[in-house]
Amino acid sequence: MPFYFFKKTLLCFFLLSFNSLQAQMQPLINEPVDISPEFRNFANTYFLADSLQSFDANKIAGNIKWQRNRYTRRMAFDNELAAFRPDKGFVFPEAEYEVNPELPFSIEFVSPRALRLRVKTGMNMTAETDSLMLVKEPATDKSWKHSKIKGGHQYASAAGSVTILEYPWRIEVRDANGKLLTSTNHNTDNEGTYTPVVPFSFMQRSTDLSKSFAASFTLSAGEKIFGCGESFSRLDKRGQKIVQWTDDANGVQNPTMYKPIPFFMSSNGYGMFMHTSTPITCDIGASFNAVNTIMVGDDELDLFIFIGSPKEILNEYTNLTGKSPMPPLWSFGLWMSRITYSSETEVRDISAKLRQNRIPSDVIHLDVGWFETDWRTDYKFSTSRFKDAGKMIADLKNDGHRISLWQLPYFVPKNRLYPEIMSKGLFVRDAKGNSPYEDAVLDFSNPAAVQWYQNQLDTLLRMGVSAIKVDFGEAAPAYGLYHSGKTGFYEHNLYPIRYNKAVAEITKKITGDNIIWARAAWAGSQRYPVHWGGDAENSSNAMLATLRGGLSFGLSGFSFWSHDIGGFVQQTPEELYRRWTPFGFLSSHTRSHGTPPKEPWLFTKSFLDEYRLSAEMKYKLMPYIYAQAKHCSENGLPMVRALFVEYPDDPGAWMIEDEYMFGSDILVAPFFDDGVYERNVYLPKGKWINYQSGEVLNSGWNRIKGGKMAAAILVRDGAAIPHIKLAQSTKEMDWKNIEWVVYSADNKTATGLICLPDDNVLHPVSVTANKLQSDPFNGTVKWMIHSYNRNK
C-alpha cells in the first residue's frame, strides 16, 4: 500500500477519536469525521493564499504564493482568542524547503455558467483516473473571453464573469449584471474582526505532515445556502456546520446524514460542487457569519462553481454528475411493506387484502424476513416458509403486484457465504490484511467482488424479482484498506455510489428498469434511483425533519425520493399516520414501511377510507406524475422541490421549509401539528386553487383547512393537470384515455405536460376555452377536457 494512503488511515483513525472526545463521548466506530478541529490546532502549520506570483492568461493557470502562519494565542484581560500570525518557520536545510511556497492553480471553464477551480498544495504522484462522481470529464467551454484589468485578469461569458486579482490574491465571481456573487476570503479581509476566521488556505498536520484544504468564500448579508445532501436540519444551512461523511444516521432528528452530497446552492445566484470523496466540513457562517469555509480532507482543491438561477444551477451540476434516469411506471405506485413479511402465505394474503380493500398498489416489499434466518443475507428464499417463491412472484405479478427484496452488503460469520467471501478476498481489509469488523464488508472497489455480488442478485432478478432494496452502505471502514489502493479516508464516501451502481446495473441488465431502493448516497448516486429517507421516528417533529431532508436532497441533484409513511421505529399512531399519508402519496415514490402494523385495514375504518382516498388521488394523477418525472429527469430537477426553485423572484418562497411543490403545478402543505387539521400556508405569486374544495386563493399567507385528505393541496392557477381513470395498479391503466382538468380562475389559457409510457417523450400542451390547441398524438389518444368545478 502507498505510504501516503497509510498516513491517511492513521489520520482518519485519529480524527474519529479526536472528534468523539471533543463531543465528550467515547470513540465510536461510526463517529462522523469532522476535520474542522484540525484547522484550529496550535501544533499545525497553516499556509494562507497571499498573492499571484505568475499567470498564463491563455492557459488560465499560474502560481499562488502562500504565506506560512501559525495559530497563536492572544490574551487580553483574562480573555483568550486565537489568531493566525506569520511564521518564518524552522526548517533545515533552509535552501531545500520553502518557507512561503509558490504552488500551482488553474481555472477551466466547462460551460458558460460553470468553472472548475483547481489548487494544489504540492507534488501529486497519483494518476488521474475517471471519477465515479462525474459522468465524464467535462469539455472546455470557449465562450469565456479574457481581458487584462488593473491588478488582475477577468474572464466573461454571457452568464457572468470571473476576476483573478494579484494582491491580495482573490477570485471574484459575478453574474451577467456585474453583481458580486461571492469571492475568496483573504486574511486581510478579516482584520476588522476579533473573531478567528480561517481564510482561503491549506493546513499541514504536525502528526504526519499530511495536508488538507480550506476554501473560504464570502457570504453576503441575508444570503441563504441550501443543499449538502439529505440534511434533516433547518433548510437554510447558513449558520450551520455540515459534516459530509456518510453515516447511518439512526433517525432524522440529528446532524448526521445517510446521504451527504458535496454540493450546495446560494440564494445569491451561484452553487458549488466539491469534487472529492474525502471528509468535508462546511462551516457555513457558523464560526463567522460572513464566511463560508469549505474544509476538505484532500491535499488539493477541485471545486466547481456554477452561476444562475436554482434551475440553471441544478441543470449545470447534473450535467456534470449525471441526471436521474426515468424509473419504471410501476415504481410510482404504492409499495406496501412492514418489517417484515416472512412467508409466502403472508405475502399472498397482503396482496389479496390490498385488492379486497381497493387500495391501488404495485409493489409488495419483503424486508429482512425472506431468508431462512432473519437478517442473514444469503440471497436464498427460506424453503420452510416459501413453498414456491418463483410461482408466488409470477402469480402476484399477474395481479399487478411486483416483489421487492431487502438485503445488505455485510456478511456475518454464520452466513453460508462468509467463507467464500473471505477465501476469495472480496472484503475490505485492515492494516494487517484481516477484516476490520466481525462482518465481512464487501469491497465494491474490487471488480471481482462486484461480479460475485451481481451474480447473487442475477438469480433473484431472473426469478422475477423487480427491485432490490439497497439498505445500509454507510459503514465502509474508515481505516480500511481497499482494492483500489486507497484507504477509507478516500473510499468511505464512495462506498454508497459503488453499491448503488452495482445493484442498478445488474437490475437494468436483467429487467430493463432503472430502479433500486437505496438508503445511502454520494455525489453521482442520482444516476441510480430511487433513494428513501431512512429510519424516521414516529413523531410530528420527525415528519417535518423528513420533509426538510427531502427538500435538501432534491436541492442536491436528486429527482426521485421517498420516505416511510408514518415513520419507521415504533408502531405508528393512527393520528400521525393520517397526516403523513397525503405527504407520502404526493412524493415521487410512495412506501408504507416500518414497525407493524402498516397495512391501513388494521386501523379504523375512517383511516382506511382516507388512506384509500390518497392512494386513489395519486393513481388518478399518474399522467401528471409521469410527465413531471420525465421533465425532472431531463433537467435535473426534484419532484419534491422547495418553493424557491419555481419562484426564485419571490422573497417569501426562500423562507419556506414546511411546504413543497410536487412538480411544477401542485403545492403541498402537510399538517405537522398533532391533532390539528388546518394551518397557515404561504402561496407564491399568482392565484391558487384548492385541490379539495375548489376555492380560489391569492398569494401570501392563507389559513387553509384540510378536506377529506389531511393536507392543504393547491394547484397553480393556469395549470392543466392530466388525469387517468382509476385503476388498482399501473398495469391496468388506460393511457389511451386522458382527462385534462383545467385549473383556471378566469378561463385563461392553461398549460401542462404529458408523457405516455410507451412514447416516453415529453410534450407541452395548451388548453384554451376547453379546447386542446394541438394534439401531440394525432388522434391516437382520446382527450376529455373540463374545468375544475368547485361544487363537484
Side-chain angles (χ1 to χ4, degrees), residues 587-605:
S587 298
S588 77
H589 288 75
T590 301
R591 185 175 75 157
S592 281
H593 177 66
T595 300
K598 299 301 290 193
E599 301 76 19
W601 54 86
L602 297 179
F603 293 81
T604 64
K605 183 181 183 303

Side-chain angles (χ1 to χ4, degrees), residues 389-658:
K391 186 176 186 304
M392 176 195 74
I393 293 168
D395 289 348
L396 267 59
K397 191 173 182 179
N398 286 336
D399 195 38
H401 279 143
R402 293 170 180 264
I403 291 295
S404 163
L405 295 180
W406 177 94
Q407 54 81 70
L408 83 173
Y410 315 146
F411 298 84
V412 297
K414 291 183 178 180
N415 192 313
R416 66 177 182 85
L417 298 172
Y418 183 87
E420 181 183 0
I421 294 168
M422 300 302 288
S423 65
K424 291 182 176 179
L426 306 179
F427 60 97
V428 179
R429 300 172 184 271
D430 63 14
K432 192 177 180 180
N434 296 323
S435 174
Y437 300 160
E438 289 185 53
D439 296 353
V441 177
L442 212 59
D443 184 355
F444 287 111
S445 77
N446 183 350
V450 172
Q451 184 61 58
W452 178 90
Y453 174 68
Q454 290 180 330
N455 288 343
Q456 313 304 315
L457 301 182
D458 180 282
T459 302
L460 296 166
L461 294 165
R462 291 186 189 278
M463 183 188 291
V465 172
S466 292
I468 301 296
K469 182 175 176 179
V470 188
D471 206 359
F472 291 83
E474 305 94 353
Y479 47 91
L481 308 181
Y482 292 74
H483 183 271
S484 65
K486 298 181 180 181
T487 70
F489 196 80
Y490 289 87
E491 283 288 344
H492 174 90
N493 280 334
L494 286 180
Y495 196 89
I497 188 172
R498 293 190 188 277
Y499 182 24
N500 293 174
K501 182 174 185 285
V503 181
E505 288 184 344
I506 189 64
T507 302
K508 176 73 171 179
K509 178 181 176 181
I510 303 303
T511 71
D513 288 336
N514 297 304
I515 187 68
I516 62 175
W517 194 271
R519 188 173 77 176
W522 187 248
S525 285
Q526 70 270 14
R527 303 194 298 267
Y528 313 111
V530 171
H531 295 79
W532 100 98
D535 300 342
E537 299 83 359
N538 310 84
S539 69
S540 292
N541 276 324
M543 181 183 171
L544 178 53
T546 294
L547 175 56
R548 288 197 300 260
L551 292 174
S552 287
F553 196 50
L555 293 169
S556 304
F558 288 74
S559 293
F560 307 111
W561 172 78
S562 187
H563 46 100
D564 292 343
I565 303 176
F568 173 84
V569 180
Q570 297 177 312
Q571 181 175 330
T572 305
E574 181 174 306
E575 194 279 329
L576 174 67
Y577 208 175
R578 174 175 281 109
R579 289 182 286 109
W580 204 316
T581 292
F583 170 33
F585 278 96
L586 292 174
S587 298
S588 77
H589 288 75
T590 301
R591 185 175 75 157
S592 281
H593 177 66
T595 300
K598 299 301 290 193
E599 301 76 19
W601 54 86
L602 297 179
F603 293 81
T604 64
K605 183 181 183 303
S606 63
F607 174 78
L608 172 62
D609 292 341
E610 289 185 38
Y611 189 97
R612 181 189 299 112
L613 193 62
S614 289
E616 290 176 346
M617 171 183 62
K618 182 167 194 180
Y619 275 67
K620 290 176 184 177
L621 281 172
M622 200 57 71
Y624 171 81
I625 292 167
Y626 197 76
Q628 292 291 323
K630 180 66 172 176
H631 185 254
C632 289
S633 175
E634 292 180 350
N635 295 279
L637 295 171
M639 281 287 287
V640 172
R641 70 187 65 155
L643 269 59
F644 65 76
V645 175
E646 284 299 318
Y647 298 93
D649 297 327
D650 185 334
W654 292 87
M655 306 292 292
I656 303 301
E657 65 176 17
D658 60 356

Side-chain angles (χ1 to χ4, degrees), residues 202-275:
F202 68 88
M203 166 270 297
Q204 186 174 49
R205 295 174 181 84
S206 61
T207 52
D208 61 0
L209 301 185
S210 65
K211 301 168 184 174
S212 289
F213 217 97
S216 295
F217 289 85
T218 60
L219 290 169
S220 300
E223 182 177 350
K224 299 172 178 61
I225 300 292
F226 301 91
C228 295
E230 191 188 47
S231 171
F232 302 110
S233 62
R234 297 301 299 265
L235 189 62
D236 176 9
K237 304 308 174 191
R238 177 80 174 262
Q240 301 182 43
K241 185 170 77 170
I242 307 295
V243 177
Q244 303 263 289
W245 179 262
T246 309
D247 183 61
D248 183 345
N250 289 294
V252 300
Q253 297 181 86
N254 66 76
T256 61
M257 286 184 278
Y258 303 104
K259 310 173 190 66
I261 306 298
F263 166 83
F264 62 81
M265 68 172 67
S266 165
S267 61
N268 225 27
Y270 69 92
M272 291 186 179
F273 166 46
M274 298 137 266
H275 184 215

Side-chain angles (χ1 to χ4, degrees), residues 737-751:
N737 288 277
I738 301 295
E739 178 185 14
W740 288 94
V741 182
V742 175
Y743 292 82
S744 178
D746 54 10
N747 295 318
K748 63 185 178 184
T749 298
T751 58

Side-chain angles (χ1 to χ4, degrees), residues 374-394:
D374 285 9
W375 294 90
R376 191 181 296 172
T377 304
D378 65 359
Y379 303 103
K380 286 187 177 294
F381 276 92
S382 164
T383 55
S384 64
R385 288 178 277 112
F386 291 86
K387 181 180 179 181
D388 189 336
K391 186 176 186 304
M392 176 195 74
I393 293 168

Side-chain angles (χ1 to χ4, degrees), residues 8 34-41 44-50 64 66-67 71 84 103 117-121 169-171 183-187 189-190 196-205 210-218 264 272 274 276 278-284 287 291-303 305 489:
K8 286 294 188 181
D34 175 10
I35 66 171
S36 63
E38 287 292 279
F39 285 88
R40 299 182 184 276
N41 187 323
N44 293 338
T45 302
Y46 302 86
F47 296 87
L48 280 50
D50 189 56
I64 303 169
W66 300 83
Q67 178 71 48
Y71 206 50
F84 290 106
L103 297 166
L117 171 64
R118 286 172 146 175
V119 187
K120 296 187 181 299
T121 66
W169 179 84
R170 196 189 311 279
I171 291 178
S183 70
T184 54
N185 174 265
H186 189 274
N187 197 40
D189 298 333
N190 307 319
V197 180
V198 178
F200 198 95
S201 58
F202 68 88
M203 166 270 297
Q204 186 174 49
R205 295 174 181 84
S210 65
K211 301 168 184 174
S212 289
F213 217 97
S216 295
F217 289 85
T218 60
F264 62 81
M272 291 186 179
M274 298 137 266
T276 181
T278 62
I280 304 169
T281 297
C282 296
D283 187 322
I284 308 173
S287 298
V291 175
N292 180 7
T293 300
I294 304 163
M295 290 161 274
V296 299
D298 210 342
D299 61 355
E300 60 180 341
L301 179 68
D302 189 358
L303 182 70
I305 304 175
F489 196 80

